[in-house]
Amino acid sequence: MVNEKILAIAKLIKIDGVTEQEIIDSIAVPSDASLGDYCLPCFKFSKIIRKSPQMIANDLVNSFGNLTSPLVSANAVNGYINFYTDKLFTAKKVIGEILQKNENYGNSDIGKGATICIDYSSINIAKPFHIGHLCTTVIGGSLYKIYKKLGYNLVGINHLGDWGTQFGKLIVAFKKWSSEEELKARGMKALTEIYVKYHEESEKDASLDDKAREWFKKIEENDEEALRLFNIFKEVTIKEVGKTYDRLKITFDSYNGESFYNDKMQPVIDKLQQKQLLTESEGAKIVDLSEYGMPPCLIVKADGATLYATRDLAAAYYRKNTYNFEKCLYVVAYQQNLHFKQWFKVIELLGEPWYKSLVHVPFGMVSLEDGAMSTRKGKVVLLEDALNKAVEKSLVIIEQKSPDLEGKEEVAEMVGVGAIIFSALYNNRIKDIVFSYDKVLNFDGETGPYIQYTNARCNSVLEKLGSLDYEKADFDAINNPEGNAVIAALEAFPKILTDAIEKYEPCYVARYLVNLCQEFNRFYYAHRILNEKESVVIARAMLVKCTHVVIEEGLRLLGISAPKKM
């Protein structure tokens, strides 16, 4: 999405052999505002023109003549051309567009007609929803919202981990140490306890594993009792995690898990056989990937059992046939990098051109300060507990700072949950996170509560002013360094959204919001908004309103609520 100023610059630059799009791609925003609003580095043109970058920049600037709005001047400095733009032109355009579109500012139709599938969260049945699930859940949920804002059709998929011998283990554990009444009363806590106990006891009694295999075989054979218990575990899990999804503002369009693909794997195995891609290795069936520098992709084990790769292949074919996706994203931890490379390569070897549409979106791992988490050992931080603790801390702070605030509990929920979400989305997704309550619940600095508080400040100003006649605005009242910095940040919002989906990085939006809030607060402290003459108040109120609109929309795209008062 290219704005008029960048287009105006691109049209000024005439270099044989260089296209307008190449010029557009080269234009940047200087880190120091005193060096211009935009700059064009001329170094890459040296090979084409056979002149130094400094000479190229000087020659081009001399060729411009008198510039007209939206550009006002340009100069050449050390091989760069720095462009200065008409600030009033920009302010009127950006503010006018935001006030007209409100929360639809930044919307686009670039995705019109295209479908994006996003496989995220993908919890395991009968295992707790712990802090390790946070990143996949909120990264996938945010990408879902951003893509949708840009006009794409979205299919959010929770690929449930609802298959495997662990269900045989659970049935054994359930029959020995629990009951249906216990599950109804205590839900996931009861399931987690017996799962942990099973692994403790199986280390002493190996016969438990034999019984577990027998029960899982019964599930595979559709045994009535085995399936009944399996479905009870599934219902308990989905009901429990549904509460957390609601708090995180996460929704899915499909809950088709591993078990859904049981009858869809054989056609894929047959395709591999027909393409002569399957070879036998110690009784197992594999796709040899040594030519591509990878270990073999195991398709069928020696005992006839299928694997994750087999199910992922079947799921990819099903999704392509059902949704005809332009892209299918898999928001899964980077520890699974090899797994995705392997089966993506298998899709390519099968001759499917859409293998290029499969994208692994990796993220860093979450660990405790004293080491990694393990469900088997019961060493986890439940996500629900983390959210509750954040909300409790938020309520304490609110009661200290705003004891008379109405609806304190509701605001604390928004702030506490928002703090957890923001902590997971602020850094590049590939970064490992060592989970610490002190860091997650820090309410100072570049945090979710800081953004929420800035938004509440905007809302407070607007409430005090009431309705205004925007036609009377004096835009010179915001034509100052602080006001222009806010305008520049507001103008950048649509491009931030396209950058976020190009890199699959919601952190672009999170960091953008911190920057917008910082710029707005500088303006807020430098310039009075109330108690000025009407035309000044109106112009500055318009800037407040636009900031408020964009902050709220940005928070929504991250899955974070925006309290009206704090």
Side-chain angles (χ1 to χ4, degrees):
M1 200 175 293
V2 183
N3 67 43
E4 299 99 320
K5 292 171 287 185
I6 291 177
L7 281 174
I9 292 169
K11 291 185 184 305
L12 279 175
I13 307 299
K14 306 296 182 187
I15 301 174
D16 289 340
V18 179
T19 66
E20 187 175 287
Q21 187 58 50
E22 287 174 312
I23 299 295
I24 289 171
D25 293 339
S26 299
I27 296 169
V29 177
S31 55
D32 182 351
S34 67
L35 296 176
D37 301 305
Y38 296 95
C39 67
L40 177 69
C42 297
F43 304 93
K44 65 164 64 173
F45 308 137
S46 288
K47 288 184 180 178
I48 300 170
I49 303 179
R50 299 188 180 279
K51 287 184 181 180
S52 70
Q54 291 84 351
M55 289 182 67
I56 295 170
N58 287 329
D59 290 347
L60 285 170
V61 169
N62 290 333
S63 73
F64 294 161
N66 293 325
L67 297 178
T68 56
S69 184
L71 305 176
V72 293
S73 66
N75 59 35
V77 180
N78 298 326
Y80 286 84
I81 303 176
N82 298 325
F83 294 90
Y84 297 82
T85 61
D86 183 337
K87 300 296 194 296
L88 284 177
F89 169 89
T90 302
K92 290 176 182 177
K93 179 185 175 300
V94 172
I95 287 176
E97 187 176 354
I98 296 173
L99 292 178
Q100 179 194 1
K101 296 181 177 178
N102 287 298
E103 70 273 11
N104 294 323
Y105 177 61
N107 283 18
S108 169
D109 61 358
I110 61 171
K112 187 176 181 181
T115 295
I116 306 291
C117 291
I118 308 183
D119 180 329
Y120 62 108
S121 196
S122 302
I123 52 144
N124 292 311
I125 296 301
K127 288 188 181 180
F129 198 171
H130 57 69
I131 200 73
H133 296 118
L134 176 65
C135 290
T136 173
T137 303
V138 298
I139 290 169
S142 182
L143 288 174
Y144 183 103
K145 294 177 180 72
I146 298 169
Y147 268 107
K148 200 155 198 173
K149 187 171 178 68
L150 298 180
Y152 291 87
N153 299 318
L154 268 296
V155 182
I157 301 168
N158 196 331
H159 186 73
L160 297 173
D162 62 356
W163 203 246
T165 54
Q166 71 266 29
F167 293 102
K169 295 175 182 179
L170 265 170
I171 291 176
V172 171
F174 170 79
K175 286 186 167 291
K176 286 181 76 70
W177 303 302
S178 192
S179 65
E180 289 184 40
E181 291 73 23
E182 181 80 0
L183 289 189
K184 284 177 185 174
R186 299 182 60 241
M188 280 294 294
K189 286 184 172 63
L191 280 179
T192 302
E193 284 173 10
I194 62 173
Y195 188 73
V196 171
K197 186 165 185 175
Y198 175 91
H199 286 281
E200 291 171 349
E201 295 298 320
S202 64
E203 288 177 9
K204 307 171 198 169
D205 182 1
S207 69
L208 290 175
D209 286 339
D210 294 330
K211 291 175 184 173
R213 282 189 285 272
E214 288 172 14
W215 273 108
F216 181 60
K217 194 168 188 298
K218 287 183 179 181
I219 294 174
E220 291 182 306
E221 293 169 348
N222 294 323
D223 174 83
E224 187 177 337
E225 172 69 357
L227 283 180
R228 188 180 72 81
L229 292 174
F230 170 74
N231 285 321
I232 287 174
F233 301 154
K234 196 169 179 176
E235 286 167 16
V236 167
T237 306
I238 291 176
K239 181 180 178 183
E240 194 87 9
V241 301
K243 299 171 189 173
T244 303
Y245 284 138
D246 287 344
R247 295 178 80 179
L248 297 173
K249 300 186 181 300
I250 297 292
T251 58
F252 297 96
D253 303 296
S254 166
Y255 278 91
N256 289 337
E258 291 182 72
S259 63
F260 179 77
Y261 299 101
N262 275 345
D263 61 350
K264 297 170 180 62
M265 289 182 286
Q266 192 56 49
V268 177
I269 296 169
D270 293 343
K271 278 179 185 284
L272 290 166
Q273 200 79 57
Q274 290 160 13
K275 293 274 187 178
Q276 299 183 332
L277 290 170
L278 281 186
T279 56
E280 270 204 25
S281 174
E282 299 178 9
K285 292 181 179 178
I286 65 165
V287 177
D288 184 0
L289 299 176
S290 57
E291 185 181 340
Y292 309 100
M294 287 185 275
C297 185
L298 189 54
I299 302 297
V300 182
K301 291 200 288 190
D303 63 3
T306 52
L307 296 103
Y308 285 125
T310 330
R311 295 178 194 286
D312 280 337
L313 289 165
Y317 271 101
Y318 174 83
R319 292 168 187 175
K320 185 62 181 176
N321 293 335
T322 305
Y323 306 116
N324 191 28
F325 55 73
E326 180 173 287
K327 285 185 181 180
C328 186
L329 311 185
Y330 295 82
V331 186
V332 181
Y334 69 65
Q335 287 185 337
Q336 298 298 319
N337 282 357
L338 176 61
H339 168 75
F340 284 99
K341 284 180 183 176
Q342 285 177 305
W343 76 260
F344 286 1
K345 176 57 73 172
V346 172
I347 293 284
E348 180 184 355
L349 295 174
L350 281 165
E352 305 295 353
W354 47 269
Y355 79 91
K356 294 178 181 177
S357 302
L358 304 171
V359 181
H360 178 208
V361 179
F363 58 85
M365 298 299 292
V366 177
S367 62
L368 300 174
E369 288 178 294
D370 60 348
M373 293 185 290
S374 168
T375 310
R376 293 183 179 189
K377 295 178 182 176
K379 187 182 177 184
V380 293
V381 174
L382 298 181
L383 186 51
E384 180 186 15
D385 290 345
L387 295 175
N388 289 342
K389 194 162 184 176
V391 171
E392 288 167 16
K393 184 175 175 70
S394 302
L395 186 56
V396 170
I397 295 170
I398 289 167
E399 285 175 338
Q400 289 171 348
K401 293 188 174 183
S402 306
D404 299 325
L405 182 67
E406 291 182 15
K408 284 182 283 192
E409 289 78 9
E410 185 181 352
V411 173
E413 171 75 11
M414 294 181 187
V415 173
V417 173
I420 296 283
I421 295 172
F422 194 84
S423 72
L425 294 180
Y426 182 67
N427 291 310
N428 291 338
R429 57 181 160 73
I430 204 66
K431 187 176 179 181
D432 284 339
I433 298 172
V434 178
F435 183 74
S436 159
Y437 280 111
D438 289 339
K439 291 177 184 175
V440 169
L441 305 178
N442 181 0
F443 285 72
D444 298 318
E446 298 171 348
T447 64
Y450 169 70
I451 296 167
Q452 290 170 315
Y453 185 77
T454 302
N455 184 62
R457 168 174 282 161
C458 291
N459 195 60
S460 174
V461 170
L462 295 170
E463 278 192 354
K464 289 173 184 174
L465 291 172
S467 60
L468 299 168
D469 182 358
Y470 290 153
E471 295 296 325
K472 295 179 179 178
D474 176 7
F475 279 86
D476 280 324
I478 55 174
N479 188 14
N480 47 61
E482 296 81 14
N484 289 328
V486 177
I487 292 293
L490 293 171
E491 185 182 29
F493 184 57
K495 186 174 188 306
I496 289 293
L497 301 182
T498 56
D499 289 347
I501 64 165
E502 283 172 12
K503 302 291 184 183
Y504 315 111
E505 281 284 17
C507 76
Y508 284 21
V509 176
R511 291 180 175 181
Y512 164 83
L513 288 175
V514 168
N515 177 64
L516 173 60
C517 290
Q518 289 172 339
E519 298 296 0
F520 173 78
N521 284 315
R522 288 188 190 102
F523 172 80
Y524 179 84
Y525 287 115
H527 304 279
R528 285 197 307 181
I529 298 171
L530 307 173
N531 304 318
E532 288 280 2
K533 65 178 183 179
E534 185 183 20
S535 60
V536 170
V537 169
I538 292 172
R540 291 177 180 169
M542 291 166 80
L543 191 63
V544 175
K545 172 70 173 175
C546 292
T547 303
H548 168 61
V549 166
V550 174
I551 291 175
E552 281 208 347
E553 181 62 2
L555 286 172
R556 184 191 72 79
L557 294 172
L558 298 179
I560 299 174
S561 298
K564 298 297 182 189
K565 295 180 180 179
M566 282 176 69

